[in-house]
Amino acid sequence: MPTPLPRLLQSLENAARLAGRPSPRLLAVSKFQSATAVAELVAQWRRERPGEVTAMGENYVQEAMAKQAELADSGIEWHLIGHLQSNKAAQAARHFDWVQTVDRPKLLHALADARDPGAPPLNVLLQVDIDGEPGKHGARPEDVPALADEAASLPRLALRGLMAIPAPFPDMARRRDSFRRMRALFETLRERHPGCDTLSMGMSGDAELAIAEGATMVRIGTALFGPRTPR
Ligand SMILES: *Cc1c(COP(=O)(O)O)cnc(C)c1O
C-alpha cells in the first residue's frame, strides 16, 4: 500500500526552504505498526530517496526487538524515543543505533557499560523537559550542561544533541516559544560540544513549525502510517 511519504518529504523540504534552513532528517515513528508496514515504508523510502538513511523510531524496547528480528539485515537505523527504564538500558544499548531519551547520569553509564566495544559508539540525545511539565520525563534545561559533559566523557557513547517533546499547547505561538528555547539550548550546547548536530523536535502536528525554529530531525508517526491502535 502506498503511504503519504512522497508528499511528507516534499512538505518537510518546503518548510526548510521557506525558513532558509537545510532539510531536516526524517525519523519515521513505527510504534504499534507491524513489521510488514515498516518494510513497505522502507522500500518506498529507498525508491524515493536512494542512498538516504532509513531511520525508524520505537518507544518500547521489547516491541522494537520483536520487529528487528522480523526485519533482520534490513539496514534500518533504529532510534529509541520512548522513556527508558534503567533495567532496560543494557538491551537498549545493544539493539538501537540511537537513544534519544537520555535524561539522567545513571542511564548514560548503564548505556555506555552495555555497549559492545566492537560496535560503533551509541548515538545519544539528551531529552529535555523544556516546559517543566509535572511528571514529564526529561532533564531540566539547567542540568543539560553537566549531563552533556558526562555523556561526552564516555567513549562508547557519541553525544549528538538534544530531543524534546514540548507541551502540546493548542496555541501555536506558545509551541513556537518552546521550540525557540530548545534551539537556544542547542546552540549553547554546540559551543562546548561542536560534534552535536541533532536537534530532534516536531511531530505530525507541528513539524513545519519545529523546522522553522531549527529542528534538524523530525519524528513523524501518524502522518506517515495513519492512526495507531495500541496493542
Ligand atoms: C509517538 C511519538 C512521535 C510521533 O507522533 P505523531 O504525532 O504520530 O507523529 C514522536 N515522538 C515521540 C517521542 C513519540 O512518542
Side-chain angles (χ1 to χ4, degrees):
M1 232 202 5
T3 71
L5 179 73
R7 232 181 329 115
L8 178 75
L9 288 169
Q10 197 57 57
S11 73
L12 300 180
E13 272 172 23
N14 288 346
R17 188 151 25 80
L18 276 171
R21 304 187 43 80
S23 286
R25 284 193 67 188
L26 169 64
L27 179 69
V29 175
S30 47
K31 60 170 172 268
F32 306 139
Q33 306 297 343
S34 68
T36 309
V38 171
E40 283 172 5
L41 181 76
V42 166
Q44 193 187 9
W45 193 339
R46 290 185 177 145
R47 283 195 301 276
E48 290 286 327
R49 300 291 159 94
E52 199 167 292
V53 175
T54 50
M56 292 288 149
E58 287 280 343
N59 288 60
Y60 306 101
V61 175
Q62 281 342 306
E63 181 189 340
M65 285 171 59
K67 246 172 258 184
Q68 290 166 353
E70 284 188 67
L71 296 164
D73 303 319
S74 59
I76 292 170
E77 183 181 271
W78 294 97
H79 293 230
L80 182 66
I81 60 170
H83 175 64
L84 181 58
Q85 293 168 316
S86 299
N87 64 3
K88 295 268 172 65
Q91 275 178 323
R94 294 189 192 106
H95 290 275
F96 287 86
D97 302 294
W98 292 61
V99 174
Q100 297 205 1
T101 48
V102 178
D103 60 0
R104 54 199 191 277
K106 186 180 172 190
L107 207 47
L108 281 174
H109 288 273
L111 290 167
D113 289 347
R115 184 69 171 180
D116 175 1
L122 178 67
N123 298 292
V124 300
L125 299 183
L126 306 179
Q127 182 180 355
V128 182
D129 176 17
I130 192 65
D131 292 310
E133 293 176 276
K136 219 18 207 292
H137 297 294
R140 295 182 305 176
E142 58 268 37
D143 293 337
V144 166
L147 199 56
D149 287 350
E150 185 112 24
S153 76
L154 297 169
R156 282 175 214 164
L157 304 183
L159 176 66
R160 299 292 296 269
L162 303 177
M163 177 270 208
I165 314 168
F169 296 122
D171 174 5
M172 284 294 159
R174 289 190 72 185
R175 262 198 231 190
R176 185 188 290 276
D177 184 64
S178 307
F179 290 142
R180 283 199 177 147
R181 280 180 281 116
M182 279 304 299
R183 167 83 178 277
L185 203 58
F186 180 60
E187 296 302 341
T188 304
L189 176 74
R190 277 156 56 91
E191 287 167 15
R192 194 165 158 83
H193 300 283
C196 285
D197 57 1
T198 304
L199 178 57
S200 168
M201 60 185 193
M203 315 200 298
S204 293
D206 55 16
E208 289 168 11
L209 187 58
I211 292 165
E213 296 303 333
T216 71
M217 181 184 287
V218 291
R219 309 179 306 264
I220 310 286
T222 311
L224 270 177
F225 289 105
R228 300 180 272 276
T229 326
R231 288 176 210 169

